[in-house]
Amino acid sequence: MRQMPPAHPFDDDKLKEECGVFGVVGVADAANFIALGLHALQHRGQEAGGIVTHDADAGFQSARRFGYVRDTFTSQKVMETLPGPIGIGHVRYSTAGSKGSTAIRDVQPFFGEFSMGGAAIAHNGNITNADALKRELIDRGSIFQSSSDSECIIHLMARSLQRNIPERMKDALRRVEGAFSVVAMTRTKLIGVRDPRGVRPLVLGKVGDGGYALSSETCALDIIGADFVREIEPGEMVVISEGKVESFHPFERTASRFCIFEHVYFSRPDSILEGRSVYETRRQIGVELAREAPVDADLVCPVPDSGTPAAIGFAHESGIPYGMGIIRNQYMGRTFIEPSEQIRNMGVRLKLNVNRALIKNKRIILVDDSVVRGTTSQKIKDMLLDAGAAEVHFRIASPPTMWPCFYGVDTPDRDKLLAANMTVDEMCKHLDVDSLQFISIDGLYRAAGVASGRDAAAPRYCDACFTGDYPVKPTDMIAKGFELKTVAE
């Protein structure tokens, strides 16, 4: 039996997006397009992937595998089992309902057979009332096959009295709280939906003369040669068939709250979000950071690769030279075969190495995207000092991460978040660096294009991980004892 690749032993100090979704209709060999799209979205989920297609002769076909797309969906033998002009796919980390799960039954897309035909669904995000929904559904006779919160949607669709799949999906998603970008398919229709606040991304692309694609990010449209059409709006459902896109708004309209961490870290820098280049936003974060937290130093270095655009912006604004003081081993991934204890003790050096000739005797400004637990930051600081750096100053391209995310991001419990338990000065002493500064929440908003900064009364983004301001109540977590932010905090 194929083993799931072990989690990288040195990647536990980053927030992880949990899913990427992709779908296509109106093309020959849809599965090949989906595999390419999922490959481009691999950064959003590296644990497992799945593809469902439909062919007039073969019907619905599916394949779900652990590991990277390049290792699992490039085999001709596998791809030949997935014929048809329509299909959807999904890459994942463990969802909130299945932390640490290695069961293939938890790998999406999920499929259901209804009286009017079959349907498959793939979901990016997290359902914050999934526990309550699951108890209700089980009490009413539903039998769950997975531990994923996403399966609730299939069961809610099965219980709907509506006469077609899109209407049943509307019914189901009106019961769901939290964040969701969904791609789904019937025998002939490709469907895309975003939650009313638009927390997670979803975009529409045009493929050739009559085909269409739905994707978590625009970079996956680029890889298949699709033209970007537009973003799916918050609260919008699109139904695509026979070269036609129909748009519906089945939810009560509310203020959008797109995840600002998509701009900071999750999305690929070559994607476009809200009409803005992700790379340019990250570079501008570095510019704002240099204005807010200047420091006298000799060299600006990124923690590769996520800190690179911000470091470039910081260097340009400050006038301090930019240099690759840390080099990433591009071949050190999550599929690294079970390291021995001795190799594990080498720590982050397996993944990152210091460019000694560049940083020796220099005062280094180290730019990273975030500090979560702080364990990796300490190791990188030690590496720089061991290699002869005179000083190490950390500049962080996001505000302090003080609260867990319940909308589709793998976040530690609050007591594991360094910034939730220490002031910035205490964190600086804990990390034993010469200085530590984070970009302000207003500076982050300015970098994302909101010139006035954050409006506390009506923030444009979901920034709960920084502020504790949750746009959707985390119903299940509150039932388990999670305490929301108080006025004093």
Side-chain angles (χ1 to χ4, degrees):
M1 183 178 71
R2 184 183 182 89
Q3 295 296 311
M4 188 184 73
H8 192 294
F10 317 120
D11 274 348
D12 66 345
D13 200 25
K14 293 289 182 185
L15 301 184
K16 297 182 179 69
E17 245 288 7
E18 288 177 343
C19 299
V21 294
F22 191 86
V24 68
V25 64
V27 299
D29 299 320
N32 291 326
F33 285 85
I34 297 164
L36 288 169
L38 294 181
H39 177 73
L41 298 174
Q42 190 77 86
H43 59 288
R44 302 184 73 89
Q46 299 172 31
E47 180 181 274
I51 295 175
V52 175
T53 62
H54 183 271
D55 175 75
D57 295 324
F60 285 96
Q61 300 293 323
S62 69
R64 295 182 285 179
R65 300 286 191 275
F66 290 122
Y68 287 132
V69 173
R70 70 183 183 215
D71 298 327
T72 55
F73 290 106
T74 53
S75 160
Q76 183 178 355
K77 184 178 179 181
V78 173
M79 301 311 287
E80 285 177 348
T81 68
L82 298 167
I86 182 172
I88 62 173
H90 186 271
V91 288
R92 63 147 357 211
Y93 284 114
S94 295
T95 64
S98 55
K99 297 295 185 188
S101 170
T102 60
I104 197 69
R105 65 177 181 272
D106 289 328
V107 180
Q108 298 186 43
F110 292 130
F111 178 79
E113 193 71 60
F114 305 100
S115 58
M116 69 289 297
I121 184 170
H123 166 222
N124 170 217
N126 196 47
I127 299 172
T128 58
N129 65 333
D131 290 350
L133 287 174
K134 195 169 184 177
R135 284 194 300 270
E136 175 191 326
L137 288 163
I138 290 173
D139 287 345
R140 296 171 62 185
S142 294
I143 300 173
F144 280 75
Q145 301 297 316
S146 76
S147 62
S148 172
D149 60 341
S150 308
E151 193 182 348
C152 288
I153 300 171
I154 286 285
H155 288 283
L156 289 169
M157 289 172 63
R159 292 193 168 273
S160 170
L161 299 179
Q162 298 298 323
R163 302 186 62 155
N164 61 57
I165 296 295
E167 291 300 321
R168 287 190 174 212
M169 185 171 293
K170 291 178 188 177
D171 258 8
L173 292 177
R174 288 187 185 110
R175 295 285 317 278
V176 165
E177 298 172 6
F180 53 85
S181 283
V182 169
V183 295
M185 61 176 286
T186 67
R187 291 169 293 184
T188 58
K189 293 180 171 63
L190 180 67
I191 303 167
V193 195
R194 284 180 80 188
D195 71 80
R197 297 191 182 275
V199 177
R200 304 257 69 86
L202 190 64
V203 299
L204 174 68
K206 184 82 163 54
V207 188
D209 293 332
Y212 284 92
L214 292 167
S215 174
S216 290
E217 294 184 40
T218 60
C219 64
L221 300 179
D222 297 336
I223 199 173
I224 65 168
D227 295 323
F228 171 67
V229 176
R230 64 178 178 86
E231 294 186 357
I232 305 305
E233 297 174 7
E236 181 184 15
M237 169 186 278
V238 293
V239 180
I240 308 168
S241 62
E242 298 178 348
K244 181 175 64 174
V245 180
E246 296 180 281
S247 175
F248 307 92
H249 286 83
F251 310 107
E252 183 178 341
R253 291 186 182 270
T254 186
S256 66
R257 295 285 295 274
F258 182 63
C259 172
I260 199 166
F261 220 92
E262 292 280 355
H263 286 290
V264 173
Y265 176 67
F266 295 141
S267 294
R268 262 180 40 171
D270 51 333
S271 285
I272 305 295
L273 293 177
E274 303 181 301
R276 292 177 59 86
S277 158
V278 174
Y279 174 87
E280 181 55 31
T281 296
R282 290 177 188 169
R283 193 195 68 81
Q284 191 61 35
I285 288 173
V287 170
E288 292 287 343
L289 192 51
R291 293 169 180 169
E292 292 185 351
V295 60
D296 191 15
D298 303 308
L299 196 68
V300 179
C301 298
V303 175
D305 293 310
S306 56
T308 300
I312 291 171
F314 193 107
H316 184 269
E317 180 67 17
S318 66
I320 300 171
Y322 168 90
M324 293 297 293
I326 299 173
I327 306 301
R328 181 187 180 98
N329 179 0
Q330 299 295 338
Y331 299 97
M332 178 63 187
R334 285 172 59 90
T335 52
F336 191 83
I337 304 301
E338 293 290 355
S340 67
E341 189 61 29
Q342 181 181 5
I343 292 177
R344 284 181 181 274
N345 289 337
M346 292 179 185
V348 76
R349 295 174 192 272
L350 278 172
K351 185 176 179 181
L352 303 173
N353 192 41
V354 174
N355 189 348
R356 290 173 176 268
L358 187 62
I359 65 97
K360 187 174 181 180
N361 297 324
K362 289 189 174 69
R363 298 166 297 171
I364 305 298
I365 300 171
L366 198 62
V367 180
D368 202 358
D369 60 272
S370 61
V371 174
V372 183
R373 295 180 176 91
T375 52
T376 299
S377 300
Q378 286 180 312
K379 293 172 183 176
I380 293 173
K381 177 265 302 181
D382 290 341
M383 288 169 58
L384 290 171
L385 293 178
D386 290 346
E391 297 176 3
V392 178
H393 302 269
F394 267 98
R395 292 297 180 267
I396 309 301
S398 61
T401 303
M402 301 178 65
W403 296 85
C405 174
F406 302 120
Y407 306 133
V409 178
D410 183 11
T411 315
D413 294 335
R414 194 165 187 235
D415 61 2
K416 301 288 196 310
L417 296 171
L418 202 64
N421 299 283
M422 297 183 185
T423 66
V424 173
D425 287 343
E426 289 170 341
M427 292 172 70
C428 184
K429 292 177 182 177
H430 174 76
L431 297 174
D432 194 21
V433 292
D434 291 278
S435 71
L436 169 67
Q437 292 291 330
F438 297 77
I439 193 171
S440 68
I441 190 71
D442 285 332
L444 179 58
Y445 268 66
R446 287 193 295 269
V450 184
S452 58
R454 184 181 193 269
D455 180 355
R460 174 174 169 180
Y461 292 103
C462 176
D463 51 29
C465 53
F466 307 132
T467 64
D469 178 8
Y470 291 96
V472 182
K473 184 171 66 174
T475 303
D476 291 339
M477 295 307 299
I478 291 172
K480 294 175 182 177
F482 178 78
E483 296 181 2
L484 295 176
K485 181 179 179 179
T486 63
V487 175
E489 291 177 286

